[in-house]
Amino acid sequence: EDEDDDEEEEEEEEVETVDVEELENVVKACTSGTRKVFQYIHEIVTALAGVIEYQEMALKMFLQAALCADALEVSEESVSYEFFVQAFTLYEEVADTKTQLRLLPLMIGTVQKTCGFGQDNYETLCTKVTQYAARLLKKPDQCKMVYSCSHLFWDDVTDLPKKPQKIDSSSGSFTLAGLTGGGGDKTDVFGDGKRSLECLQKSLRIADACVASSSHVSLFIEILNRYIFFFDKGCEKVTAQYVSGLIALINEHLGQMDEDFDPNIKTNLEAFYKSTIEHVKAKAKLNPEKYADIDL
């Protein structure tokens, strides 16, 4: 038994003995090699972007590279950020509205997926894509993209991906912040409910301007679903008063639909709205105290 105890103590000592300097050298070598790979990717995709027929493909590749660099944390944020800059530059050169509408959701989703940016850079990217959304040619498209951007500024923080072991770019040493839940500065940005509310309110104003196209009621219902999401997830800026006010607005506009309105569209709108209200009622049963102030 004494011999077994001695062997266990020796094993523990071996586990505790780590050559930190050697480990840091390995990390630095890996980081340097990965940076070179991304530099090579940048050169290839930049060449591809020079051909008009392949610009859309190049933009998607820049976004994918940005996401990979962010996930790997190969260095400070500059690598991933540079890929985003190149993607945004290509987007601004796109003249076709349909192409813009096809690419913008991809850009919004890619920015939202990142988890390695500090607050300043992340907010800059979010603001930029929100501006792109507000500049789309057609109002209904503007509305949908702007309310989609509301998720950039606030989301359920429990759904954020856990960051892996990261490399401190200043010292080249390992940190365990990601494994212990302390990594990732973006959790602060995800709590910016004010910016999310601004996006929702702006999308409402845009939807209100779509009366002539008769798409405003459908947009109101879509926005209502976003309000419900933020309210349910605990975004303090989106209150029961906002939800109740939007429900009252939708009821008013549905009641104003005359006989000339396309009956098929009206039926679909009413079904969409009914399912939304039923969803709220189901939520209210699960959490009556939270939903008590919502007037259905």
Side-chain angles (χ1 to χ4, degrees):
E1 292 180 0
D2 293 338
E3 290 179 359
D4 292 338
D5 292 339
D6 292 339
E7 288 179 1
E8 291 180 0
E9 290 178 1
E10 289 178 2
E11 290 178 359
E12 290 179 359
E13 289 178 0
E14 289 178 2
V15 172
E16 292 175 358
T17 304
V18 179
D19 191 339
V20 178
E21 184 176 351
E22 182 179 349
L23 185 59
E24 289 182 349
N25 289 334
V26 172
V27 173
K28 288 180 180 179
C30 292
T31 305
S32 176
T34 308
R35 283 181 63 89
K36 289 180 181 178
V37 171
F38 279 110
Q39 289 172 0
Y40 186 51
I41 292 172
H42 189 282
E43 292 174 5
I44 294 174
V45 182
T46 299
L48 191 65
V51 182
I52 296 178
E53 292 81 0
Y54 297 119
Q55 285 186 341
E56 183 175 344
M57 182 189 297
L59 187 151
K60 293 178 180 179
M61 288 182 174
F62 276 131
L63 291 177
Q64 188 62 50
L67 205 56
C68 289
D70 174 80
L72 291 175
E73 298 187 40
V74 295
S75 70
E76 53 198 33
E77 304 166 8
S78 59
V79 176
S80 181
Y81 193 84
E82 172 60 22
F83 282 124
F84 272 115
V85 169
Q86 294 300 321
F88 290 176
T89 301
L90 281 177
Y91 176 84
E92 291 175 359
E93 294 176 0
V94 174
D96 181 53
T97 304
K98 291 183 179 179
T99 304
Q100 288 180 338
L101 189 60
R102 187 167 59 249
L103 292 173
L104 191 53
L106 183 61
M107 293 165 61
I108 294 171
T110 304
V111 173
Q112 187 179 7
K113 281 286 186 179
T114 62
C115 58
F117 285 115
Q119 182 169 338
D120 290 341
N121 282 339
Y122 182 72
E123 284 189 344
T124 299
L125 295 175
C126 293
T127 301
K128 196 67 176 177
V129 293
T130 304
Q131 290 172 349
Y132 291 149
R135 293 172 186 168
L136 289 171
L137 182 62
K138 296 181 179 180
K139 291 291 184 181
D141 295 336
Q142 285 183 19
C143 178
K144 292 180 180 182
M145 290 300 102
V146 170
Y147 72 56
S148 296
C149 288
S150 64
H151 295 279
L152 292 172
F153 299 101
W154 198 97
D155 206 344
D156 184 5
V157 294
T158 59
D159 291 338
L160 284 174
K162 289 290 186 292
K163 293 170 72 65
Q165 283 184 325
K166 69 183 282 190
I167 299 168
D168 187 337
S169 58
S170 61
S171 64
S173 61
F174 271 123
T175 65
L176 299 179
L179 297 181
T180 58
D185 296 332
K186 206 182 84 170
T187 51
D188 294 334
V189 181
F190 265 64
D192 195 351
K194 180 181 178 182
R195 295 291 299 275
S196 292
L197 180 61
E198 289 173 357
C199 288
L200 294 175
Q201 290 177 326
K202 185 169 186 175
S203 66
L204 268 177
R205 291 194 295 270
I206 297 172
D208 193 47
C210 297
V211 177
S213 63
S214 302
S215 61
H216 61 295
V217 178
S218 176
L219 293 172
F220 285 157
I221 301 172
E222 291 176 26
I223 297 168
L224 173 61
N225 277 272
R226 264 48 184 197
Y227 269 94
I228 294 169
F229 168 83
F230 287 110
F231 177 78
D232 185 67
K233 293 296 184 180
C235 181
E236 295 181 355
K237 295 297 181 180
V238 179
T239 63
Q241 182 180 358
Y242 284 116
V243 178
S244 298
L246 185 50
I247 289 174
L249 180 65
I250 294 171
N251 288 333
E252 179 184 347
H253 282 271
L254 282 174
Q256 291 175 353
M257 288 185 177
D258 52 33
E259 297 179 355
D260 296 331
F261 201 87
D262 189 322
N264 291 327
I265 296 178
K266 184 177 181 180
T267 300
N268 291 334
L269 285 176
E270 290 175 343
F272 182 21
Y273 182 54
K274 181 180 179 181
S275 64
T276 300
I277 295 300
E278 290 299 322
H279 173 70
V280 178
K281 290 179 179 178
K283 289 285 187 180
K285 287 183 179 180
L286 296 174
N287 195 344
E289 184 178 350
K290 182 180 182 67
Y291 284 80
D293 294 331
I294 293 180
D295 186 5
L296 298 174

